[in-house]
Each structure stands twice: as structure tokens, then as C-alpha cells.
């Protein structure tokens, strides 16, 4: 019997902890340092076999493509607890299967991809080299200046480890750092996610810092030390003292530096910034221990603090080194930059230099592709406007406690002033979309180049992403009402164009528009999915029923013409005998189904979503491996939960592969 889930935000967090557990050692193993562990506690896999049917699938590209992977991770995160909470509020009936797909699989697959990239992989530029840490080092250098050492300045590494990280530890109550973590300021456009050494599955991990902070933990937990940190039913901090090594020391989780593309894709940076903002919002959605410490748990608070540092560092380096005027790459104040002159080019090369025991340092940025791509600008606008929302003091939420005007003396961990940076960059990107991508009829085109100017082609997927971003800007930004109104009108123009010029009478949406007509070609899942999302956000923001009707027509086409009942999948394009799935079209489909489930409350659509989820994600091979949180609790079995997704060390390659999305999967859909 299906049960209606009535979850508010706090209940949602508790449900997460109950479903996914705090990954710890089973009771018989805890504390037996030096012995090989056989099992780690995580989440029991729900049997989803009733949604499965045989499919022939081949992973044809295992590289990690940052822009596409982060887009899918964003759609999965939004299809997790935010979806569950909204669905419950709307009275949509759901069962434990959908709850598991949302609260466990969607949540953790999204988080796996974020953490593997941003903390473990070293697939990018480390934030120790970022402007935020550098400024703190210079400030301390000036404060410690004297006649004997007039040149003295603290090192970035020292400031990050001794000052910034220590502040985060004390404000969140987390007892120690993760060893060999490598938080990124910028991510490379693609990398090889295969592991480069055997996975460390020992249980000897017991850091010196953890031992030294024992008294601090007693102060945190008071007379009940050791106390249960968050509803896991185990004694206090033993799971922090003794856990499987690779969950505490990330040395064996690194990716191969020799197989990384040392190029920054600005669309990827936008999607990653959105990812950081969404997870910061979740991690800081509540405090723990009588509201004394930031974060819904000590660990999540610390992770959220580091993600916030990554986001601010990213925005600062964008402002100071990645603005382009068509001739010179450099920095500037986005608030005073002349509209349409400075913009973020599509791809920027990074020359790296080894610097002693520090991660490689960026020595030079150079423009590799000077074009302005609409998908890039939309991704940036999406992420920047969401960070503005996260930092906005007028939003009455727990997030306000993260930011302050007198950091760290007022108890905050980040200066409130960086909301101005997010606002300025958002407005700069909006002006780029208007000046470089808006044609005479007001419709946004997909590309602008310094040599040719504005192109003629409007790709449907780019337009859908732009509509999602514009709606987010309208809903989240509020300082400059004139700019918000311009964004609203721009959204209206795109929605009118999509529904009137790109959509055919059967509900199908063309892949592109150029020279006054739709470009010939078979309708694709990518275009249907992003068109539905764009139309639905336009309906939500503008209140025009025409756009909801157009979205429903597009969904009807998806369900009647692209759906293959035998495989439980949507064909990637009309009539495809072999469907090509990427994180981009899979994310577009998931997002479209989520928005239409929330709108229609259709039980039939919910059932289709569940089958599609199992076949397209669990069975397809696109999620390349997994940890204990999604079922792989048996440390020496390839696929202990028998869901088709192996433990990371038993995935592809000599030592396994990170739990991230593949770039391309081919599935037979005859």
C-alpha cells in the first residue's frame, strides 16, 4: 500500500540520515585497527527488479566530462529531497521505491560525482592558489610585518590549513580534516576517472589531530560524551575515529594527472557553481547540538564550509583573471564593466607548474576558444544567481549564519560582501546574453564569435537551458528591479519563440532554428527534455497557461513516440535503433519528468519515471561505480547488492574507477 510522505525540510534531513546512514564500521569491526575489514555499514539496497528488463548496453566513453556530468548531478540533486518535499506538499502518492530512488540513489549519485571531482580527483586547480586564500595570507603578512622581516607574508598553505580550515572545524564541530583532500577552485573540462593505485580498505586510520581534539569533543558533547552525532544508533565518535581508510584519507582515490585536459570550460564552471550552491543550501539547512554548530551534522557542516570556500574562490578568480574583451584576458570589476564588452570565453587553457609539496599551481591562463556559447552563459547565470540566493541575507534561513559582516568574530565563516560579487557577475552574464546572443527578434542564438559576431543558429537545448537560468535569475535576484524585468521579458520572448516556432503540431520540438525555419532532423530526447523544463519554468514565473500546455504536448510526444516499452527507455531520438545516452540528455529527461510529475500528479507518470530511472541509470552503466551509501557494504564483493553497479575498486580498469558518470553509453532500442 502506497503511503503519502509528508516531509518538511527537517523531516527530510532526518529521513536522509535514516535511509543512507552515516557510513561507519559494523559493530564487530569497529576499533579493530590493523585487521582487514569485511563489511562497512551503509544502506541496504531496495529490490527494484520489478522495474528491470534485459537491455544491451555498452559504455563507449568512460571519461568524465565536467559540464555534462555536473548538469546531470544537478538534476539528480533537484530530483532528490527537494522533489520529495515538494511532492509531499502537493499530495502526490509515492511508495518506498520512489523514496529510495530519490532519498538514496539520486542524492548519493549526485554527491558521489561532486565529491569525487571537487575533493578527491585533483582534476583542476586547487583552491590553495585562489584569491581568497592569497588575500588572507597577505592580510596576515601585513599584520605581522616588522623591521627585521619586512617582506614576511604567511604562505597560502599555512593560512588554509592553520586558519581557514581550523575556523571551519571549530564552527562545525567536526573533529578533523580529511587527509589528502584536494578541494578545487576550477575544474578541468574532462579527465580520466580510473584509479591509479589499489584502494586502501584498511582500518588503521586514526589521525593525530583526532586524538588531540578529544578534549574539544568532550566540550561539544558535554557529560554525554561520546554522544550520537546524528541518529545513527551508534556510539558517538567511534565512526570518526575508526573508519575505512579511503573514506578518511583520499590518497588512493586520486585520478591520473597525465590524462587530464588542462582546459577550463566555462559552461562546466557554471554547472559546478550551481552544484556547490545546491549542496551548500542542503548542508546548512539546519544546525546541530542545540543550534551551536553549523550544518545538519558536523561532517556536512565542514563539507559545506569547504564547498562555500570553493565557490567564492571560483567567483574571485573569474573576476580577476578570466574576463575577456576579445583581445586580452584579465580582470575587472563586473559592476562597472561596459555591457557587452567583457565576457567569459568558452574555453580557457591553464598552464600548470609543480610547486614543491603544494598541488600544481596555475602559472598562466590563455584563451583556447574565444567564442561565447549560450549554454555556457546560461550555466553561469544559473549558478551565480543560485549562489546569490544562498548568500542573500533577506532570505530568512539558516544559511544567514554562514555569512557575516565581521568574520570570524561574529560567529560567521564567510564575509557577507561576496553576495555583491555574485550579483555583479550575474548581471555581467545577463548583459552578455543580451548584447552578444540576442538577435533582432529578441531570440537568443547559440554562438557569438569575435570574428563573425552573432550567429544565426538557435539550438533548442541551449534555449531551454537559457530559460531555466533566466527564470532562476528572476526568482532569486531582486536588488536591481530594472534588470529583473529585462530578464523576465527575455524569458517571455524565448518561451513564445519555443512554443510558436520550434514546436510542431504533434508536440515535437525541433533541434534548432535558423534562417527563419526549423532545422530538419529527427526530434531528440535532449531537446524535448530541456524544452519541457524551459516551458515549465516560464509557466511558473510568468503564469501563462500557454507554456504549460506546450510542455504537456512535448511530454505527450516523448511518451508516445520516443518511449520503448520493451527496454523501459526513451529513445535518444525518434526511430533510433541504438540510443546514445550522455549525462546531458539523461539529465534533461529526468528534469522534465520531475517537473511534469509535480505539475500533473499523474500516478502513471510516476510509474514510468521509476522504470526509466532503474533502466537508464542503474542498469545502463552510466553510473560507473558506487560506495556503501548506495548498497555496496560488502568490501570484498564486486557487486554485493546485485544492482549492476560495482564497488569502485571492481569497476573498469586495473584498480577500478571513481563513482562518476560515464560520458557516453549506447543502448539497443530496436
Amino acid at each position: 500500500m502506497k503511503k503519502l510522505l509528508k516531509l518538511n525540510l527537517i523531516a527530510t534531513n532526518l529521513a536522509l540520515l535514516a535511509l543512507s546512514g552515516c557510513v561507519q564500521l559494523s559493530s564487530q569491526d569497529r576499533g579493530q585497527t590493523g585487521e582487514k575489514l569485511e563489511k562497512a555499514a551503509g544502506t541496504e539496497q531496495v529490490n527494484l527488479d520489478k522495474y528491470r528488463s534485459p537491455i544491451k548496453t555498452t559504455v563507449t566513453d568512460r571519461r568524465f566530462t565536467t559540464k555534462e556530468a555536473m548538469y546531470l548531478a544537478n538534476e539528480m540533486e533537484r530530483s532528490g529531497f527537494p522533489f520529495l518535499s515538494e511532492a509531499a506538499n502537493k499530495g502526490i502518492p509515492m511508495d518506498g521505491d520512489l523514496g529510495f530512488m530519490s532519498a538514496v540513489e539520486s542524492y548519493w549519485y549526485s554527491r558521489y560525482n561532486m565529491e569525487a571531482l571537487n575533493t578527491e580527483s585533483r582534476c583542476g586547480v586547487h583552491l590553495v592558489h585562489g584569491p581568497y586564500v592569497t588575500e588572507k595570507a597577505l592580510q596576515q603578512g601585513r599584520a605581522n610585518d616588522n623591521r627585521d622581516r619586512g617582506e614576511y607574508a604567511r604562505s597560502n598553505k599555512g593560512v588554509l590549513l592553520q586558519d581557514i580550515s581550523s575556523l571551519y572545524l571549530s564552527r562545525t564541530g567536526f573533529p578533523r580534516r580529511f587527509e589528502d583532500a584536494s578541494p578545487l577552485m576550477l575544474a578541468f573540462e574532462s579527465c580520466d576517472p580510473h584509479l591509479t593505485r589499489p584502494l586502501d580498505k584498511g582500518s588503521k586510520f586514526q589521525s593525530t589531530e583526532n586524538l588531540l581534539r578529544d578534549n574539544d569533543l568532550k566540550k561539544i558533547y558535554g557529560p554525554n560524551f561520546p554522544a550520537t552525532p546524528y541518529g545513527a544508533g551508534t556510539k558517538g565518535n567511534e565512526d570518526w575515529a575508526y573508519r575505512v581508510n579511503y573514506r578518511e584519507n583520499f590518497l588512493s582515490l586520486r585520478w591520473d594527472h597525465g590524462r587530464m585536459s588542462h582546459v577550463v570550460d566555462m559552461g562546466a564552471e557554471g554547472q559546478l557553481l550551481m552544484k556547490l550552491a545546491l549542496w551548500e543550501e542542503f548542508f546548512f539547512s539546519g544546525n546541530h547540538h542545540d543550534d551551536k554548530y553549523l550544518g545538519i551534522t558536523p561532517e556536512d557542516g565542514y563539507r559545506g564550509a569547504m564547498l562555500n570556500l570553493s565557490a567564492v574562490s571560483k567567483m574571485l578568480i573569474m573576476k580577476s583573471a578570466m574576463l575577456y574583451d576579445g583581445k586580452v584576458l584579465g580582470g575587472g570589476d563586473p559592476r562597472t564593466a561596459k555591457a557587452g564588452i567583457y565576457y567569459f570565453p568558452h574555453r580557457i587553457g591553464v598552464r600548470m607548474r609543480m610547486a614543491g609539496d603544494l598541488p600544481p599551481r596555475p602559472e598562466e591562463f590563455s584563451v583556447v576558444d574565444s567564442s561565447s556559447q549560450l549554454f555556457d552563459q546560461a550555466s553561469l547565470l544559473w549558478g551565480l544567481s543560485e549562489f546569490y540566493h544562498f548568500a542573500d541575507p533577506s532570505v530568512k534561513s539558516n544559511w544567514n549564519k554562514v555569512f557575516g559582516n565581521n568574520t570570524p568574530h561574529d560567529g560567521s565563516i564567510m564575509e557577507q560582501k561576496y553576495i555583491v560579487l555574485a550579483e555583479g557577475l550575474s548581471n555581467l552574464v545577463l548583459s552578455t546574453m543580451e548584447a552578444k546572443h540576442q538577435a533582432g527578434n529578441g531570440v537568443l542564438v547559440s554562438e557569438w564569435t569575435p570574428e563573425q559576431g552573432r550567429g544565426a543558429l538557435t539550438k533548442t537545448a541551449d534555449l531551454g537551458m537559457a530559460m531555466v537560468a533566466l527564470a532562476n535569475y528572476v526568482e532569486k535576484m531582486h536588488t536591481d528591479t530594472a534588470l529583473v524585468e529585462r530578464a523576465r521579458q527575455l524569458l517571455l520572448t524565448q518561451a513564445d519563440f519555443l512554443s510558436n516556432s520550434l514546436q510542431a503540431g504533434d508536440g515535437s520540438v525541433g533541434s534548432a532554428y535558423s534562417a527563419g525555419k526549423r532545422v530538419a532532423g529527427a526530434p531528440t530526447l535532449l531537446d524535448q527534455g530541456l524544452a519541457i523544463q524551459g516551458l515549465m519554468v516560464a509557466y511558473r514565473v510568468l503564469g501563462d497557461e500557454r507554456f504549460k500546455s506546450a510542455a504537456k504536448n512535448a511530454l505527450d510526444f516523448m511518451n508516445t513516440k520516443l518511449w520503448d516499452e520493451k527496454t523501459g527507455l526513451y529513445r535518444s531520438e525518434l526511430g533510433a535503433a541504438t540510443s546514445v545516452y550522455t549525462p546531458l540528455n539523461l539529465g534533461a529527461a529526468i528534469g522534465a519528468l520531475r517537473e511534469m510529475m509535480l505539475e500533473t500528479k499523474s500516478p502513471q507518470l510516476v510509474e514510468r519515471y521509476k522504470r526509466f530511472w532503474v533502466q537508464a541509470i542503474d542498469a545502463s552503466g552510466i553510473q560507473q561505480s558506487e560506495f556503501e551509501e548506495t548498497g555496496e557494504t560488502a568490501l570484498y564483493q564486486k557487486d554485493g547488492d546485485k544492482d549492476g553497479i560495482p564497488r569502485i575498486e571492481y569497476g573498469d580498469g586495473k584498480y577500478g574507477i571513481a563513482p562518476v558518470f560515464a560520458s557516453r553509453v549506447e543502448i539497443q532500442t530496436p
Side-chain angles (χ1 to χ4, degrees), residues 445-461:
V445 301
S446 290
E447 182 179 67
W448 176 94
T449 67
E451 299 79 17
Q452 302 296 325
R454 186 183 303 113
L457 186 70
T458 295
K459 297 178 183 178
T460 302

PDB file of all heavy atoms in Angstrom, residues 445-461:
ATOM      1  N   VAL A 445      20.557  33.422 -29.795  1.00  0.00           N
ATOM      2  CA  VAL A 445      21.250  32.478 -30.677  1.00  0.00           C
ATOM      3  C   VAL A 445      22.331  31.759 -29.875  1.00  0.00           C
ATOM      4  O   VAL A 445      22.739  32.206 -28.801  1.00  0.00           O
ATOM      5  CB  VAL A 445      21.861  33.186 -31.895  1.00  0.00           C
ATOM      6  CG1 VAL A 445      20.772  33.888 -32.700  1.00  0.00           C
ATOM      7  CG2 VAL A 445      22.938  34.177 -31.481  1.00  0.00           C
ATOM      8  N   SER A 446      22.812  30.654 -30.404  1.00  0.00           N
ATOM      9  CA  SER A 446      23.674  29.766 -29.629  1.00  0.00           C
ATOM     10  C   SER A 446      25.121  30.214 -29.551  1.00  0.00           C
ATOM     11  O   SER A 446      25.823  29.847 -28.606  1.00  0.00           O
ATOM     12  CB  SER A 446      23.612  28.341 -30.199  1.00  0.00           C
ATOM     13  OG  SER A 446      22.354  27.763 -29.940  1.00  0.00           O
ATOM     14  N   GLU A 447      25.595  31.015 -30.516  1.00  0.00           N
ATOM     15  CA  GLU A 447      27.032  31.317 -30.529  1.00  0.00           C
ATOM     16  C   GLU A 447      27.300  32.736 -31.006  1.00  0.00           C
ATOM     17  O   GLU A 447      26.617  33.272 -31.881  1.00  0.00           O
ATOM     18  CB  GLU A 447      27.759  30.318 -31.441  1.00  0.00           C
ATOM     19  CG  GLU A 447      29.270  30.513 -31.497  1.00  0.00           C
ATOM     20  CD  GLU A 447      29.958  29.499 -32.397  1.00  0.00           C
ATOM     21  OE1 GLU A 447      29.727  29.555 -33.628  1.00  0.00           O
ATOM     22  OE2 GLU A 447      30.710  28.653 -31.887  1.00  0.00           O
ATOM     23  N   TRP A 448      28.308  33.331 -30.404  1.00  0.00           N
ATOM     24  CA  TRP A 448      28.869  34.609 -30.864  1.00  0.00           C
ATOM     25  C   TRP A 448      30.382  34.445 -30.887  1.00  0.00           C
ATOM     26  O   TRP A 448      30.966  33.844 -29.972  1.00  0.00           O
ATOM     27  CB  TRP A 448      28.490  35.735 -29.897  1.00  0.00           C
ATOM     28  CG  TRP A 448      29.084  37.071 -30.226  1.00  0.00           C
ATOM     29  CD1 TRP A 448      28.521  38.069 -30.962  1.00  0.00           C
ATOM     30  CD2 TRP A 448      30.374  37.560 -29.822  1.00  0.00           C
ATOM     31  NE1 TRP A 448      29.358  39.147 -31.049  1.00  0.00           N
ATOM     32  CE2 TRP A 448      30.515  38.865 -30.350  1.00  0.00           C
ATOM     33  CE3 TRP A 448      31.418  37.029 -29.068  1.00  0.00           C
ATOM     34  CZ2 TRP A 448      31.656  39.641 -30.155  1.00  0.00           C
ATOM     35  CZ3 TRP A 448      32.562  37.786 -28.874  1.00  0.00           C
ATOM     36  CH2 TRP A 448      32.673  39.074 -29.403  1.00  0.00           C
ATOM     37  N   THR A 449      31.016  34.944 -31.946  1.00  0.00           N
ATOM     38  CA  THR A 449      32.480  34.906 -32.023  1.00  0.00           C
ATOM     39  C   THR A 449      33.013  36.300 -32.317  1.00  0.00           C
ATOM     40  O   THR A 449      32.339  37.109 -32.974  1.00  0.00           O
ATOM     41  CB  THR A 449      32.965  33.946 -33.126  1.00  0.00           C
ATOM     42  OG1 THR A 449      32.582  34.470 -34.415  1.00  0.00           O
ATOM     43  CG2 THR A 449      32.385  32.557 -32.938  1.00  0.00           C
ATOM     44  N   PRO A 450      34.238  36.610 -31.849  1.00  0.00           N
ATOM     45  CA  PRO A 450      34.819  37.922 -32.150  1.00  0.00           C
ATOM     46  C   PRO A 450      34.994  38.146 -33.648  1.00  0.00           C
ATOM     47  O   PRO A 450      34.928  39.289 -34.121  1.00  0.00           O
ATOM     48  CB  PRO A 450      36.181  37.867 -31.438  1.00  0.00           C
ATOM     49  CG  PRO A 450      36.030  36.838 -30.377  1.00  0.00           C
ATOM     50  CD  PRO A 450      35.092  35.820 -30.939  1.00  0.00           C
ATOM     51  N   GLU A 451      35.203  37.066 -34.412  1.00  0.00           N
ATOM     52  CA  GLU A 451      35.447  37.201 -35.847  1.00  0.00           C
ATOM     53  C   GLU A 451      34.164  37.387 -36.647  1.00  0.00           C
ATOM     54  O   GLU A 451      34.090  38.238 -37.551  1.00  0.00           O
ATOM     55  CB  GLU A 451      36.186  35.955 -36.370  1.00  0.00           C
ATOM     56  CG  GLU A 451      37.548  35.709 -35.748  1.00  0.00           C
ATOM     57  CD  GLU A 451      37.462  35.073 -34.377  1.00  0.00           C
ATOM     58  OE1 GLU A 451      36.374  34.530 -34.033  1.00  0.00           O
ATOM     59  OE2 GLU A 451      38.469  35.116 -33.644  1.00  0.00           O
ATOM     60  N   GLN A 452      33.136  36.613 -36.313  1.00  0.00           N
ATOM     61  CA  GLN A 452      31.914  36.606 -37.110  1.00  0.00           C
ATOM     62  C   GLN A 452      30.744  37.310 -36.442  1.00  0.00           C
ATOM     63  O   GLN A 452      29.713  37.551 -37.078  1.00  0.00           O
ATOM     64  CB  GLN A 452      31.513  35.159 -37.420  1.00  0.00           C
ATOM     65  CG  GLN A 452      32.573  34.354 -38.150  1.00  0.00           C
ATOM     66  CD  GLN A 452      32.864  34.903 -39.530  1.00  0.00           C
ATOM     67  OE1 GLN A 452      31.966  35.406 -40.210  1.00  0.00           O
ATOM     68  NE2 GLN A 452      34.119  34.821 -39.959  1.00  0.00           N
ATOM     69  N   GLY A 453      30.888  37.614 -35.169  1.00  0.00           N
ATOM     70  CA  GLY A 453      29.784  38.222 -34.453  1.00  0.00           C
ATOM     71  C   GLY A 453      28.713  37.206 -34.104  1.00  0.00           C
ATOM     72  O   GLY A 453      28.991  36.026 -33.912  1.00  0.00           O
ATOM     73  N   ARG A 454      27.466  37.669 -34.073  1.00  0.00           N
ATOM     74  CA  ARG A 454      26.355  36.822 -33.672  1.00  0.00           C
ATOM     75  C   ARG A 454      26.012  35.831 -34.774  1.00  0.00           C
ATOM     76  O   ARG A 454      25.873  36.197 -35.946  1.00  0.00           O
ATOM     77  CB  ARG A 454      25.143  37.691 -33.352  1.00  0.00           C
ATOM     78  CG  ARG A 454      23.952  36.943 -32.774  1.00  0.00           C
ATOM     79  CD  ARG A 454      22.758  37.877 -32.551  1.00  0.00           C
ATOM     80  NE  ARG A 454      23.117  38.988 -31.694  1.00  0.00           N
ATOM     81  CZ  ARG A 454      23.170  40.250 -32.085  1.00  0.00           C
ATOM     82  NH1 ARG A 454      22.884  40.566 -33.350  1.00  0.00           N
ATOM     83  NH2 ARG A 454      23.511  41.203 -31.242  1.00  0.00           N
ATOM     84  N   GLY A 455      25.879  34.563 -34.412  1.00  0.00           N
ATOM     85  CA  GLY A 455      25.492  33.545 -35.368  1.00  0.00           C
ATOM     86  C   GLY A 455      24.007  33.568 -35.648  1.00  0.00           C
ATOM     87  O   GLY A 455      23.253  34.379 -35.097  1.00  0.00           O
ATOM     88  N   ALA A 456      23.563  32.641 -36.517  1.00  0.00           N
ATOM     89  CA  ALA A 456      22.151  32.590 -36.902  1.00  0.00           C
ATOM     90  C   ALA A 456      21.419  31.406 -36.292  1.00  0.00           C
ATOM     91  O   ALA A 456      20.186  31.371 -36.295  1.00  0.00           O
ATOM     92  CB  ALA A 456      22.041  32.520 -38.427  1.00  0.00           C
ATOM     93  N   LEU A 457      22.157  30.437 -35.757  1.00  0.00           N
ATOM     94  CA  LEU A 457      21.566  29.189 -35.299  1.00  0.00           C
ATOM     95  C   LEU A 457      21.163  29.264 -33.828  1.00  0.00           C
ATOM     96  O   LEU A 457      21.959  29.668 -32.975  1.00  0.00           O
ATOM     97  CB  LEU A 457      22.561  28.049 -35.493  1.00  0.00           C
ATOM     98  CG  LEU A 457      22.059  26.629 -35.196  1.00  0.00           C
ATOM     99  CD1 LEU A 457      21.045  26.198 -36.253  1.00  0.00           C
ATOM    100  CD2 LEU A 457      23.227  25.656 -35.146  1.00  0.00           C
ATOM    101  N   THR A 458      19.935  28.876 -33.539  1.00  0.00           N
ATOM    102  CA  THR A 458      19.459  28.736 -32.164  1.00  0.00           C
ATOM    103  C   THR A 458      19.188  27.265 -31.901  1.00  0.00           C
ATOM    104  O   THR A 458      18.276  26.686 -32.493  1.00  0.00           O
ATOM    105  CB  THR A 458      18.176  29.543 -31.922  1.00  0.00           C
ATOM    106  OG1 THR A 458      18.452  30.931 -32.051  1.00  0.00           O
ATOM    107  CG2 THR A 458      17.624  29.278 -30.522  1.00  0.00           C
ATOM    108  N   LYS A 459      19.992  26.656 -31.034  1.00  0.00           N
ATOM    109  CA  LYS A 459      19.783  25.254 -30.669  1.00  0.00           C
ATOM    110  C   LYS A 459      18.752  25.174 -29.548  1.00  0.00           C
ATOM    111  O   LYS A 459      18.817  25.930 -28.572  1.00  0.00           O
ATOM    112  CB  LYS A 459      21.096  24.618 -30.225  1.00  0.00           C
ATOM    113  CG  LYS A 459      22.168  24.573 -31.301  1.00  0.00           C
ATOM    114  CD  LYS A 459      23.455  23.962 -30.752  1.00  0.00           C
ATOM    115  CE  LYS A 459      24.563  23.981 -31.793  1.00  0.00           C
ATOM    116  NZ  LYS A 459      25.842  23.436 -31.243  1.00  0.00           N
ATOM    117  N   THR A 460      17.833  24.242 -29.682  1.00  0.00           N
ATOM    118  CA  THR A 460      16.752  24.121 -28.710  1.00  0.00           C
ATOM    119  C   THR A 460      17.271  23.838 -27.309  1.00  0.00           C
ATOM    120  O   THR A 460      16.784  24.406 -26.323  1.00  0.00           O
ATOM    121  CB  THR A 460      15.788  23.007 -29.143  1.00  0.00           C
ATOM    122  OG1 THR A 460      15.278  23.310 -30.441  1.00  0.00           O
ATOM    123  CG2 THR A 460      14.640  22.863 -28.161  1.00  0.00           C
ATOM    124  N   ALA A 461      18.256  22.960 -27.201  1.00  0.00           N
ATOM    125  CA  ALA A 461      18.798  22.631 -25.880  1.00  0.00           C
ATOM    126  C   ALA A 461      19.409  23.858 -25.220  1.00  0.00           C
ATOM    127  O   ALA A 461      19.235  24.077 -24.015  1.00  0.00           O
ATOM    128  CB  ALA A 461      19.841  21.519 -25.999  1.00  0.00           C
TER     129      ALA A 461
END
